[in-house]
Amino acid sequence: MIDGPSKKFLEEALADILTPLAVAMVAHGLTLGSATRALKRAMLAAALRQGEDRKTDSKVALMTGLHRKDVRRLRSDTAEPADRKSLNFSALLIGYWISAPEFLTSDGQPRELRREATADGPGFDDLIGKTRIDAAPGTVVQTLIDQGVVTETRDGAFRLSEHAYVPETDSEELIAAFQATLTAHLETAVHNLLAAGDAPRHFDRMVRYSHLSEEAISELETYASESAQRMLEDVNAKARSFQERDAGTGGKGRFTAGAFVTPEKSGRKSK
């Protein structure tokens, strides 16, 4: 367990780290009680991940400050943890459509697809099969059209309209995406924070500039967003090819890469 000056510094940093989450909570009507319940579950999970030994309720209580009654109740509640929500099928399908060679034109753009395969290559139903989406093809097509991700041409082909899917505001999908991206970034940051000595650290870098004009911020936002999108599409294509290559090998490893851009044209508000 880490102690000393670094513990005090982390304690002082918690308010800043948690403020963005608190903003989301207040906006969605969640109170301190909700945060407390979530934090208790998180503290239990963190304690159980420390080392390989079986921890008693008393030991967990000592490590976390939780009451032993809370530990017993939470252990019972989380005995069968629920699976994390899978990525939205729209994002999965887009990722495959923009990277798999058989679904691209000669210049690397997503092909217009018929429902069934043609002489030009596989069709939309084949794309759904490749991504292992457990839904009827007709339902998938209509959902993507409703979302504005796919448009149907006059001659009945389907065209990809967006290279990235952004869920609707205040939807369960958007919250699931918020959970997935923020959790992954925090896990990377915590890994680097706790890595000892010469232990490898994950890549986690950022650039930050101030005293910029609104024009400069707008230009930087466009440049950074487009650059990040290209990088993610390249990584997506390579990861997809590896996944296909490794299919059937029993591999269980996971890989995550992300990017964020934060323009603040008026500067951060004072506390």
Side-chain angles (χ1 to χ4, degrees):
M1 183 178 294
I2 300 173
D3 210 334
S6 61
K7 178 179 178 181
K8 183 176 185 298
F9 191 79
L10 179 59
E11 186 175 298
E12 294 173 347
L14 274 177
D16 276 354
I17 294 170
L18 293 174
T19 294
L21 286 175
V23 170
M25 288 177 58
V26 171
H28 282 80
L30 274 64
T31 64
L32 181 61
S34 301
T36 300
R37 289 190 292 273
L39 185 56
K40 285 180 178 180
R41 292 196 300 269
M43 293 294 286
L44 172 63
L48 296 178
R49 286 171 60 175
Q50 294 291 315
E52 300 296 331
D53 59 311
R54 170 70 180 176
K55 297 177 178 65
T56 65
D57 292 350
S58 295
K59 186 171 183 179
V60 171
L62 184 63
M63 293 173 67
T64 62
L66 291 169
H67 195 284
R68 279 181 298 175
K69 290 191 297 184
D70 283 333
V71 175
R72 285 196 299 271
R73 176 179 56 79
L74 290 168
R75 272 185 150 165
S76 175
D77 290 346
T78 59
E80 295 294 335
D83 293 335
R84 288 185 177 180
K85 289 189 176 182
S86 61
L87 288 175
N88 177 271
F89 75 79
S90 301
L92 289 172
L93 187 141
I94 292 172
Y96 210 98
W97 198 343
I98 66 175
S99 63
E102 63 268 35
F103 294 100
L104 300 176
T105 63
S106 58
D107 60 353
Q109 297 301 308
R111 288 195 303 108
E112 291 186 1
L113 303 177
R114 299 281 180 178
R115 279 289 301 272
E116 304 292 338
T118 66
D120 294 330
F124 199 90
D125 288 5
D126 299 300
L127 176 63
I128 295 172
K130 286 283 189 179
T131 52
R132 299 181 178 87
I133 295 172
D134 185 20
T139 300
V140 175
V141 170
Q142 190 56 53
T143 299
L144 294 171
I145 290 174
D146 292 343
Q147 292 172 342
V149 173
V150 169
T151 55
E152 186 174 4
T153 64
R154 289 184 177 181
D155 60 353
F158 298 100
R159 176 186 300 141
L160 183 64
S161 304
E162 301 288 343
H163 282 212
Y165 173 62
V166 179
E168 293 182 5
T169 301
D170 202 30
S171 66
E172 291 185 1
E173 292 175 351
L174 186 60
I175 293 174
F178 170 82
Q179 173 191 350
T181 54
L182 190 57
T183 300
H185 196 178
L186 279 173
E187 286 177 344
T188 296
V190 170
H191 169 87
N192 292 343
L193 178 69
L194 301 181
D198 295 330
R201 287 173 166 80
H202 299 323
F203 186 89
D204 190 19
R205 305 285 189 274
M206 63 180 289
V207 294
R208 175 179 288 169
Y209 282 84
S210 61
H211 300 89
L212 295 170
S213 66
E214 291 194 5
E215 180 182 2
I217 291 172
S218 295
E219 187 171 339
L220 283 168
E221 180 182 8
T222 299
Y223 177 77
S225 299
E226 292 177 350
S227 298
Q229 180 66 26
R230 286 194 297 269
M231 181 274 291
L232 290 173
E233 289 182 10
D234 289 344
V235 172
N236 173 70
K238 184 173 287 292
R240 180 203 49 76
S241 66
F242 286 161
Q243 187 179 63
E244 289 188 343
R245 183 199 67 185
D246 296 344
T249 64
K252 296 181 179 179
R254 302 177 70 89
F255 175 85
T256 304
F260 66 94
V261 177
T262 310
E264 296 179 27
K265 295 184 178 180
S266 58
R268 182 170 295 183
K269 293 181 180 179
S270 59
K271 298 178 182 178

